[in-house]
Amino acid sequence: MKVLKFGGTSVGSVENMTNVKNIINDGEKKIVVLSAMSGTTNQLVAIGQDIEAGNSAAAVEKVTTLHETYKVTVDNLLQNGDLNASVKAYVANVFSFLESCASKTFCVNLENQIVAQGELLSTYMFNAFLNQEGVSSTLLPALDFMRIDENKEPDIAYIKENFKKVFEATPDSEIYITQGFICLDTEDQISNLQRGGSDYTATIIGAAFLAEEVQIWTDIDGMHNNDPRHVENTHPISNLSFDEAAELAYFGAKILHPQTVTPVRADNIPVRLKNTMEPSAHGTLISSVTAGDGIKAIAAKDGITAIKIKSARMLQAHGFLKKVFEIFETYKTSIDMITTSEVAVSLTIDDDSNLEPILAELDKIATIEVDKNQSIVCLVGHEVVNHDDTFRLFKILQDVKIRMISYGGSQNNISLLIDSKDKINTLQKLNTYLFELVTP
Ligand code: ASP
Ligand code: MG
């Protein structure tokens, strides 16, 4: 059995939902994971922010506007009178809950309940739509089986056991629909798998029952060799290994949640990226197979902070790096890139929520320099560090100011740290010279 996940755009209009229906309605039993309709989660986040800022009137206004758009969508989607009425009642219930949130005291728990409504709405509506169209489908509530542990990692044993229970309760259905993104935490409170987490839901479910394949359906024809939002002439990559895909997703390829391949790689479950608007396009197949050597794709991750830690105490001394790492460990902040010299170590973090206390601690043992607004540009490909063409990289970048470089940390990745203002130019240059093979 396969797991198919459809993103926000795929469920963002009646036309696209009809495309989804046509894709999934092929007589095969399957699990369908849905995101919220496009734009909804952003709106829900904004409503939470208004409440946090004490601006409940602005929150109520956003709730009302969003409710109106949902009423129109339901009318366009459901001509069947009974289904239309029951879905409208469900939707009205969700929005009166959201309205009631506007006068509550803000806390993480409230925010999590608010952002969860997007997936609850989309799945409810889509399930009713399938019923109207005569497709046999069942809604499996994700909150009945999806849970994270104290480290915010999926609790796979719990998910396996509980998914099996809910799934086996309705054995005759053809299509099982569930919410992406949302889950419970260890205290049984509503939580989520972070923005873009529906991809992760799909592979977690895929791993929980050893699916034949996981498909991630979006509005683009697979993972591209460079960021198509910033760079011209990019093209989809037809095959990626799990390692390559994991590096790309982590280092900024927005098409996938960073953890997407983690649950499935050990069991070798392939992940196929497909385009809902163009179902016949090949897309990208992520599997254990490695196709070709050399630089295959480039991705960039913004919002990086670089910290240079300089100390004469580092010279021929041991234990200095341990002290540095312990400070980051204390504040549960993970380090992405690192380079060292005799008397200095430079490293990068993307989560700067504890930057102040980290710097205060580092300041006790070294001289610190901080650069914000940096971007990691990551070049990915099997054995990229050993490939003949890789030397071109340095020629191409002779006029880009590189703050740090990481070469050989893995065979499949070369990372450069640059100022974010140089990002688009760097990506475009790399694209032109590396992929179009124009001599610089
Ligand atoms: N709806 C959530 C988001 O916008 C999860 C997802 O779409 O994957 O982040
Ligand atoms: Mg996504």
Side-chain angles (χ1 to χ4, degrees):
M1 199 162 54
K2 292 178 184 155
V3 181
L4 280 71
K5 177 258 166 173
F6 292 88
T9 325
S10 306
V11 290
S13 67
V14 175
E15 192 192 341
N16 292 351
M17 285 200 227
T18 309
N19 285 341
V20 175
K21 184 203 85 184
N22 293 336
I23 291 166
I24 62 180
N25 192 20
D26 60 1
E28 270 183 39
K29 225 175 166 65
K30 57 177 67 67
I31 315 280
V32 173
V33 175
L34 300 183
S35 293
M37 291 177 75
S38 51
T40 297
T41 311
N42 286 347
Q43 279 305 307
L44 295 172
V45 169
I47 289 165
Q49 284 165 346
D50 284 338
I51 300 170
E52 188 174 14
N55 197 347
S56 87
V60 170
E61 200 183 311
K62 287 196 178 77
V63 171
T64 311
T65 312
L66 194 59
H67 192 178
E68 290 308 317
T69 68
Y70 270 83
K71 283 184 203 161
V72 174
T73 309
V74 174
D75 280 340
N76 289 338
L77 193 65
L78 299 165
Q79 289 73 45
N80 174 308
D82 289 346
L83 283 170
N84 183 299
S86 75
V87 173
K88 274 228 186 91
Y90 179 88
V91 170
N93 219 346
V94 166
F95 281 94
S96 72
F97 165 74
L98 288 171
E99 205 180 318
S100 76
C101 292
S103 51
K104 291 184 187 154
T105 315
F106 184 83
C107 62
V108 175
N109 190 240
L110 185 73
E111 185 185 26
N112 287 345
Q113 287 183 50
I114 293 172
V115 298
Q117 302 308 316
E119 274 69 14
L120 293 169
L121 285 165
S122 66
T123 48
Y124 197 90
M125 286 162 58
F126 188 68
N127 187 45
F129 173 60
L130 289 186
N131 288 349
Q132 170 182 279
E133 304 298 302
V135 180
S136 135
S137 74
T138 304
L139 199 52
L140 303 181
L143 300 180
D144 286 353
F145 60 86
M146 198 46 98
R147 202 162 98 150
I148 47 174
D149 62 21
E150 49 289 333
N151 298 318
K152 299 197 178 351
E153 303 282 346
D155 182 344
I156 294 287
Y158 176 96
I159 296 166
K160 257 190 186 154
E161 189 187 325
N162 288 280
F163 180 78
K164 195 164 178 272
K165 257 188 229 157
V166 289
F167 180 74
E168 286 175 356
T170 46
D172 297 331
S173 187
E174 196 162 290
I175 289 168
Y176 296 85
I177 297 172
T178 192
Q179 298 85 21
F181 178 59
I182 63 173
C183 59
L184 292 181
D185 64 14
T186 45
E187 260 117 57
D188 285 341
Q189 300 292 324
I190 295 188
S191 186
N192 61 63
L193 302 170
Q194 308 296 321
R195 293 304 303 270
S198 300
D199 302 337
Y200 198 20
T201 302
T203 51
I204 292 167
I205 295 177
F209 75 94
L210 295 178
E212 168 196 340
E213 180 173 293
V214 176
Q215 297 181 353
I216 312 268
W217 289 77
T218 64
D219 51 3
I220 180 166
D221 49 355
M223 181 90 90
H224 276 225
N225 65 327
N226 204 329
D227 192 332
R229 293 167 307 168
H230 302 308
V231 175
E232 285 169 19
N233 298 327
T234 64
H235 61 79
I237 310 166
S238 48
N239 290 277
L240 281 171
S241 67
F242 286 122
D243 286 343
E244 291 167 336
E247 303 254 20
L248 283 171
Y250 185 73
F251 286 108
K254 281 284 173 301
I255 178 175
L256 280 186
H257 180 280
Q259 299 287 359
T260 308
V261 299
T262 314
V264 288
R265 64 200 291 176
D267 294 312
N268 224 339
I269 300 168
V271 178
R272 205 182 279 277
L273 312 183
K274 297 280 288 177
N275 186 355
T276 307
M277 318 314 151
E278 220 191 312
S280 59
H282 177 277
T284 299
L285 177 63
I286 303 168
S287 70
S288 56
V289 178
T290 305
D293 290 341
I295 296 173
K296 211 174 273 178
I298 302 169
K301 187 175 179 179
D302 296 333
I304 304 294
T305 301
I307 308 171
K308 185 187 279 174
I309 304 156
K310 220 171 153 185
S311 170
R313 273 193 260 170
M314 221 178 132
L315 195 65
Q316 293 189 339
H318 56 83
F320 183 78
L321 284 178
K322 180 169 179 252
K323 275 190 213 139
V324 169
F325 289 144
E326 271 168 1
I327 294 171
F328 287 87
E329 166 63 23
T330 306
Y331 292 99
K332 292 201 181 324
T333 300
S334 70
I335 297 169
D336 282 334
M337 274 177 83
I338 178 157
T339 57
T340 61
S341 79
E342 246 167 70
V343 291
V345 47
S346 266
L347 46 80
T348 71
I349 57 174
D350 71 343
D351 171 9
D352 64 1
S353 47
N354 285 312
L355 185 61
E356 288 306 315
I358 288 173
L359 294 180
E361 296 277 336
L362 288 172
D363 202 43
K364 294 179 193 159
I365 55 169
T367 312
I368 315 297
E369 266 172 52
V370 179
D371 290 312
K372 292 195 173 180
N373 301 322
Q374 305 288 299
S375 296
I376 294 178
V377 173
C378 166
L379 297 102
V380 170
H382 181 61
E383 289 290 331
V384 72
V385 299
N386 297 322
H387 197 266
D388 287 349
D389 274 349
T390 301
F391 81 94
R392 289 166 157 273
L393 170 68
F394 297 97
K395 235 174 140 186
I396 293 163
L397 295 173
Q398 59 198 4
D399 47 5
V400 176
K401 195 168 165 246
I402 298 176
R403 166 79 170 73
M404 280 169 71
I405 180 159
S406 172
Y407 191 102
S410 99
Q411 301 297 93
N412 305 325
N413 169 334
I414 298 169
S415 298
L416 313 170
L417 186 74
I418 57 169
D419 202 296
S420 298
K421 68 176 177 357
D422 298 330
K423 182 184 82 171
I424 294 182
N425 180 26
T426 307
L427 290 178
Q428 186 68 60
K429 259 197 190 133
L430 287 168
N431 204 57
T432 309
Y433 294 133
L434 286 175
F435 296 122
E436 293 174 17
L437 299 179
V438 177
T439 312

